[in-house]
Amino acid sequence: MSESQAVFGGNCAGVARRWKGIVAGFLALAVIYVKGYAVAGAQADSWHFWAADLNPLPWLGAVMLMAVYWTRYDRYKVEGGAPGVWSGVRVLSFMAGVLVALALWESPLNGFVGRSMTLYTVKLMGEFELAAPLIVFGIPFGLVDATRTKGVFWSVLRFLHNPGVTAVALAIVLALWDMSAQMALGLRDAFMFAILPGVYLGLGMVVWIQSLQALPSFPNFSSHLRKGIYVWAMETTMMGMGAMWFWSAMTGLNPSTNQPLVFGLSRITDVHMAGATMMALSLPTMCLVFWHFWQWIANVVGVSENDDYKKAASR
């Protein structure tokens, strides 16, 4: 059986072997969620809250993703797959990314975002800047060959993977549609509140997949210089918005409700903290920009770090 078949044709044996740890983990997570929602003021001990008020889709999606991932990883190991292609570090990265995405998407944090622009910024930007790269780093793209990139899902991903399409989507979400306006709409509309984190997570994953050239057969920029400029322009837009919030004196930018803000903050201080948070959360992707520029410079000069190490070792 090929490595690709091992990845995409797993069974549930790995999940079954870990049932004790999985059950214990979910019980601990349930307790944390109940206590967290209670602190946020929700009636987390009521049947109505869990049946009607809580959005189950992110939970179900996270559970399914982790179950499928563990199952196929175990099958890959049983078939003798190379550890370098699908390592334990990748597994930890993927699991951490899914848990971060879930914690930001559907967690007790939701009970406080209406009282803090800063927390709402963490909720959206954290999906883009933290959860997305962790999930992408955990996917073994080396096992995805051309024969496996067929179907509706891959067609949609191939379309979004086009830098022009992604750039338009990012321009709409990050520039044309101000994030404070998105937050205000999310606080008024339950549907928008539920899908906005998914939009940021999806766009973040596409940007990181493009930048890492994880799918070589998909449309993409051909050089590190173009990739670096592309990601830099996107991140500069977000950091510029964060700087505007940080230096702003307009309380009207804050979409928080009329309830007292968390920690007793004033509305303008909350805006300033949201701006600082947005700029700080942009640092991981800015590191990606520097990496692309470094690779471009190395290619122009024609000398890599490995060459320097070899010369030093030969002396």
Side-chain angles (χ1 to χ4, degrees):
M1 182 180 292
S2 69
E3 290 182 345
S4 296
Q5 289 174 324
V7 173
F8 293 96
N11 52 47
C12 296
V15 176
R17 286 199 304 271
R18 298 183 177 90
W19 72 269
K20 292 182 179 179
I22 292 172
V23 171
F26 272 104
L27 287 176
L29 193 62
V31 171
I32 293 172
Y33 267 60
V34 170
K35 294 297 184 181
Y37 276 112
V39 171
Q43 298 297 322
D45 56 348
S46 69
W47 174 87
H48 182 271
F49 173 78
W50 293 97
D53 296 338
L54 192 70
N55 180 10
L57 295 181
W59 279 66
L60 294 175
V63 171
M64 291 176 62
L65 276 175
M66 289 190 288
V68 170
Y69 189 93
W70 270 118
T71 298
R72 294 180 177 176
Y73 173 73
D74 285 342
R75 180 62 177 272
Y76 178 77
K77 297 295 289 184
V78 168
E79 296 293 332
V85 179
W86 200 346
S87 63
V89 174
R90 285 188 182 274
V91 176
L92 292 176
S93 178
F94 185 86
M95 296 300 165
V98 172
L99 291 176
V100 169
L102 179 61
L104 294 173
W105 195 332
E106 190 62 34
S107 75
L109 178 67
N110 289 348
F112 298 97
V113 293
R115 298 167 52 196
S116 174
M117 183 179 182
T118 301
L119 290 180
Y120 211 150
T121 302
V122 172
K123 178 181 175 69
L124 296 182
M125 290 295 296
E127 298 282 10
F128 192 100
E129 300 284 357
L130 301 177
L134 285 172
I135 292 174
V136 170
F137 283 131
I139 300 174
F141 287 103
L143 304 179
V144 182
D145 55 36
T147 62
R148 296 289 175 176
T149 55
K150 307 294 183 182
V152 177
F153 170 79
W154 292 106
S155 298
V156 172
L157 181 58
R158 185 177 282 104
F159 174 75
L160 293 175
H161 202 278
N162 189 303
V165 175
T166 311
V168 171
L170 290 169
I172 293 173
V173 172
L174 302 178
L176 301 180
W177 187 13
D178 185 75
M179 188 181 289
S180 59
Q182 296 173 31
M183 294 178 185
L185 179 59
L187 292 176
R188 294 194 307 268
D189 187 282
F191 177 74
M192 292 302 301
F193 187 85
I195 68 169
L196 276 175
V199 171
Y200 277 82
L201 178 63
L203 284 176
M205 289 182 63
V206 170
V207 169
W208 280 87
I209 292 172
Q210 288 173 329
S211 297
L212 300 177
Q213 197 68 31
L215 299 169
S217 62
F218 281 31
N220 204 349
F221 286 121
S222 58
S223 69
H224 285 290
L225 177 61
R226 293 179 180 179
K227 287 178 185 290
I229 294 174
Y230 166 68
V231 180
W232 173 82
M234 172 197 65
E235 283 300 310
T236 301
T237 301
M238 285 192 285
M239 296 185 77
M241 184 183 298
M244 180 188 71
W245 290 356
F246 184 77
W247 294 106
S248 176
M250 297 184 294
T251 57
L253 286 174
N254 197 324
S256 303
T257 60
N258 293 326
Q259 302 177 33
L261 301 188
V262 294
F263 307 122
L265 297 175
S266 67
R267 295 178 69 83
I268 193 62
T269 302
D270 191 29
V271 172
H272 293 167
M273 290 182 62
T277 299
M278 180 179 289
M279 289 188 287
L281 287 175
S282 297
L283 291 178
T285 309
M286 272 301 181
C287 291
L288 178 64
V289 173
F290 292 137
W291 179 80
H292 277 303
F293 284 145
W294 180 265
Q295 293 298 315
W296 170 67
I297 292 171
N299 290 335
V300 171
V301 174
V303 177
S304 67
E305 289 185 347
N306 289 333
D307 294 333
D308 293 336
Y309 292 148
K310 289 177 181 178
K311 291 178 181 178
S314 63
R315 291 173 183 173

